[in-house]
């Protein structure tokens, strides 16, 4: 892809995909945290008490009551949204993967544990679909449970939008007037 785009354009593309992934992940964590916080506040908890408990980073007896309100998965999601860290470049890599699929849709790709060649135009949307399923259900299929699936989706979306824009405007750049 770097050879196709050139070094400068690829660097812009890669960093943009990484920033798009981070932005989408931050927005997701924000809404996830504050929607659960609103449920706790509506149940009679004080927001300053909630933040005090979360900032201590220790287990609190209030968490068992929170679990009754949010559910076990909701509670874990609430706590992990508060304490989340973002490290890695997987969102940017997903953007590069999408661009590969747009440039070379007929190329055949294989996973190590699934040695069957699959065309990129089917393989890459399949990987994105698995990330979408993992992000919505919380069930990790091929990777650790702390993977930022929403960041993968954000990087893929950013990569698609940039490549779509560049491919669409390529015709206008090469037109004879």
């Amino acid at each position: 892809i770097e050879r196709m785009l050139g070094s400068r354009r690829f660097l812009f593309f890669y960093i943009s995909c990484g920033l798009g992934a981070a932005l989408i992940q931050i927005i997701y964590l924000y809404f996830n945290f504050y929607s659960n916080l609103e449920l706790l506040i509506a149940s009679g908890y004080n927001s300053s008490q909630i933040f005090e408990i979360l900032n201590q980073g220790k287990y609190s007896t209030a968490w068992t009551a929170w679990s009754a309100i949010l559910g076990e998965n909701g509670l874990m999601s609430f706590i992990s949204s508060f304490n989340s860290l973002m490290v890695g470049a997987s969102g940017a890599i997903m953007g590069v993967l999408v661009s590969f699929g747009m440039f070379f849709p007929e190329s055949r790709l294989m996973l190590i544990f699934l040695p069957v060649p699959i065309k990129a135009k089917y393989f890459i949307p399949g990987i994105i679909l698995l990330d979408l399923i993992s992000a919505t259900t919380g069930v990790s299929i091929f990777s650790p449970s702390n993977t930022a699936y929403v960041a993968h989706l954000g990087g893929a979306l950013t990569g698609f939008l940039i490549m779509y824009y560049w491919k669409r405007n390529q015709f206008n750049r090469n037109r004879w007037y």
Side-chain angles (χ1 to χ4, degrees):
I1 299 301
E2 183 181 3
R3 278 190 231 141
M4 299 284 295
L5 298 177
S7 295
R8 284 183 168 172
R9 204 169 187 193
F10 178 77
L11 183 63
F12 171 80
F13 178 75
Y14 185 81
I15 291 173
S16 297
C17 289
L19 291 174
L23 181 66
I24 297 292
Q25 180 71 17
I26 288 169
I27 290 169
Y28 169 76
L29 291 173
Y30 175 84
F31 283 110
N32 186 34
F33 178 78
Y34 279 101
S35 63
N36 287 322
L37 181 66
E38 287 176 7
L39 287 174
L40 291 174
I41 291 171
S43 297
Y45 288 96
N46 185 354
S47 64
S48 62
Q49 292 172 334
I50 294 170
F51 280 110
E52 183 178 320
I53 291 169
L54 290 173
N55 283 325
Q56 291 175 359
K58 300 176 185 174
Y59 183 82
S60 172
T61 55
W63 290 8
T64 55
W66 293 359
S67 179
I69 297 166
L70 301 176
E72 191 66 33
N73 288 338
L75 176 62
M76 298 316 288
S77 175
F78 178 65
I79 294 167
S80 67
S81 293
F82 182 77
N83 294 321
S84 67
L85 300 172
M86 287 193 300
V87 176
S90 57
I93 297 298
M94 286 297 288
V96 173
L97 189 64
V98 166
S99 69
F100 178 84
M102 291 177 81
F103 276 120
F104 309 106
E106 299 298 320
S107 293
R108 296 188 180 274
L109 304 172
M110 288 191 296
L111 289 174
I112 291 174
F113 53 85
L114 183 67
V116 177
I118 304 169
K119 289 184 178 182
K121 65 183 176 183
Y122 304 122
F123 182 85
I124 295 168
I127 296 291
I128 293 170
L129 182 65
L130 288 176
D131 278 340
L132 181 63
I133 291 169
S134 296
T136 55
T137 63
V139 176
S140 178
I141 298 171
F142 292 119
S143 58
S145 61
N146 63 348
T147 302
Y149 298 109
V150 176
H152 290 176
L153 297 171
L157 177 66
T158 305
F160 173 77
L161 292 174
I162 291 172
M163 290 307 300
Y164 179 78
Y165 176 78
W166 283 350
K167 284 186 124 191
R168 186 180 58 130
N169 288 332
Q170 181 180 11
F171 176 75
N172 289 334
R173 249 194 348 254
N174 298 325
R175 180 186 296 179
W176 291 20
Y177 291 101

